[in-house]
Amino acid sequence: MESIKNKSIEKWQPLKNEIFFTDLDNTIIFSYKHDIGIDKVNVEIYQGREVSYMTKKTYCLLKQVAKKMLLVPVTTRTIEQYNRIDLGLDVLPYALVCNGGVMLENGKENKRWYEQSLASVQSAKIELQKAFNLLEYDKRRIFELRFIRNLFVFTKCASPDAVVCKLKKHVDLRVVDVLNNHNKIYVVPRTLRKGESIKRLSRYIEGKKILAAGDSEFDISMLQAADIAFAPKQLADKYNLSKDFIVMPEKRPLSDEILEYIVKYLE
């Protein structure tokens, strides 16, 4: 796959058959706790409450992008959590959930994909079990301990930074990643990184030009695997990624900035 990283933005000429892989939470949709202004659309209801929104501009722009290229969400959410989201689009041809360990094809789980994912994480089985055991008896844990689809470990903890530090001292970081999003703790096989997942899907549909967008450490491997990558300034600065990605200034909601940029260059 030809890389065009480090080339100027002006040199990007959109091609046919592009895929736009995008993270969801805090990239395209935002929690009710996140101020994205009053012009917003509810996209997720959980237990009778409105919990996630898109800006009205993103809601409209996403429809334009989905008509021009293949749109593929990539998320750590489970199938059930993903299905709570209504992006205002028809059922998408593909979605990667459980950090890419599960693939939905026209809304249905592709069983073969999942079997291959299970095989790919076998080399991390010992380290995942080690992390599970450590978290099971950690008094800072404030949520049940889950082994998501036998693919990765998830829970929530108080003092998450300290818990992450402890885990990193006891597991082999050549085999698994230890990540957190606020109080959420994840231990994920490196073979299940988002970057590996989007390369798998690109091969599955016989190779296309890849665009990707994400906002967190979870997304870095996906952004690095893309031909064109969009990242917020905060992420790029933290991990010194500015030379590799198209950096969004975050003067407005990230989703608006990314989608406006894509639509402009699709004209």
Side-chain angles (χ1 to χ4, degrees):
M1 180 172 62
E2 180 187 1
S3 174
I4 63 172
K5 292 175 182 176
N6 297 320
K7 295 183 181 179
S8 67
I9 293 173
E10 290 73 24
K11 292 182 180 179
W12 173 29
Q13 296 296 322
L15 303 174
K16 295 180 180 179
N17 300 320
E18 292 172 323
I19 312 175
F20 177 39
F21 290 100
T22 182
D23 174 54
L24 290 176
D25 294 277
N26 297 317
T27 300
I28 296 295
I29 69 174
F30 300 90
S31 163
Y32 68 93
K33 299 176 183 179
H34 194 120
D35 183 11
I36 59 172
I38 60 174
D39 291 328
K40 59 187 179 182
V41 179
N42 174 240
V43 296
E44 181 182 11
I45 295 176
Y46 179 57
Q47 295 182 342
R49 297 184 300 115
E50 296 184 356
V51 295
S52 296
Y53 297 87
M54 285 195 295
T55 68
K56 286 185 178 179
K57 178 167 285 190
T58 289
Y59 191 77
C60 294
L61 290 173
L62 200 62
K63 293 178 185 295
Q64 295 181 47
V65 170
K67 288 179 180 179
K68 298 288 186 179
M69 63 175 63
L70 180 61
L71 173 66
V72 181
V74 186
T75 178
T76 57
R77 285 174 176 248
T78 63
I79 294 177
E80 294 76 17
Q81 292 167 336
Y82 171 76
N83 283 336
R84 294 201 303 253
I85 300 171
D86 180 5
L87 298 175
L89 302 169
D90 293 333
V91 174
L92 295 171
Y94 303 100
L96 295 173
V97 302
C98 296
N99 222 56
V102 174
M103 188 257 279
L104 301 180
E105 194 165 4
N106 296 316
K108 304 295 183 181
E109 181 177 345
N110 183 307
K111 300 298 184 182
R112 178 60 178 160
W113 181 280
Y114 176 58
E115 291 169 1
Q116 291 171 343
S117 296
L118 286 177
S120 77
V121 303
Q122 284 304 301
S123 60
K125 186 175 180 180
I126 293 174
E127 299 307 314
L128 290 172
Q129 189 62 55
K130 192 184 300 181
F132 191 96
N133 293 342
L134 287 167
L135 288 166
E136 187 174 16
Y137 297 104
D138 196 310
K139 295 181 180 179
R140 293 165 293 191
R141 187 162 57 82
I142 56 175
F143 189 73
E144 64 183 330
L145 188 56
R146 297 178 179 175
F147 206 151
I148 305 296
R149 296 292 300 267
N150 291 315
L151 296 169
F152 61 90
V153 174
F154 167 78
T155 191
K156 299 179 184 179
C157 292
S159 304
D161 291 340
V163 175
V164 166
C165 185
K166 175 184 175 181
L167 287 170
K168 286 184 174 181
K169 290 179 179 177
H170 289 87
V171 299
D172 188 344
L173 298 178
R174 297 170 299 179
V175 178
V176 295
D177 292 324
V178 181
L179 305 163
N180 75 291
N181 181 4
H182 301 293
N183 66 353
K184 298 177 182 178
I185 306 291
Y186 300 80
V187 184
V188 183
R190 290 171 68 94
T191 54
L192 202 70
R193 284 178 166 181
K194 286 186 178 182
E196 294 302 314
S197 299
I198 72 168
K199 286 188 282 188
R200 279 179 68 190
L201 186 58
S202 182
R203 291 191 297 268
Y204 182 77
I205 55 180
E206 299 181 347
K208 310 288 180 179
K209 196 162 189 74
I210 295 175
L211 288 76
D215 73 290
S216 73
E217 185 180 1
F218 291 80
D219 303 312
I220 290 176
S221 64
M222 175 171 70
L223 298 173
Q224 290 173 330
D227 296 295
I228 301 291
F230 300 91
K233 186 177 187 302
Q234 184 177 11
L235 182 72
D237 289 348
K238 181 176 180 180
Y239 294 99
N240 194 28
L241 305 172
S242 300
K243 293 182 180 179
D244 294 331
F245 305 149
I246 297 173
V247 177
M248 301 289 105
E250 292 185 279
K251 294 180 180 179
R252 296 173 294 127
L254 178 63
S255 57
D256 288 0
E257 293 180 338
I258 292 171
L259 294 175
E260 280 184 350
Y261 188 97
I262 293 174
V263 168
K264 177 183 176 182
Y265 281 89
L266 285 173
E267 292 175 349

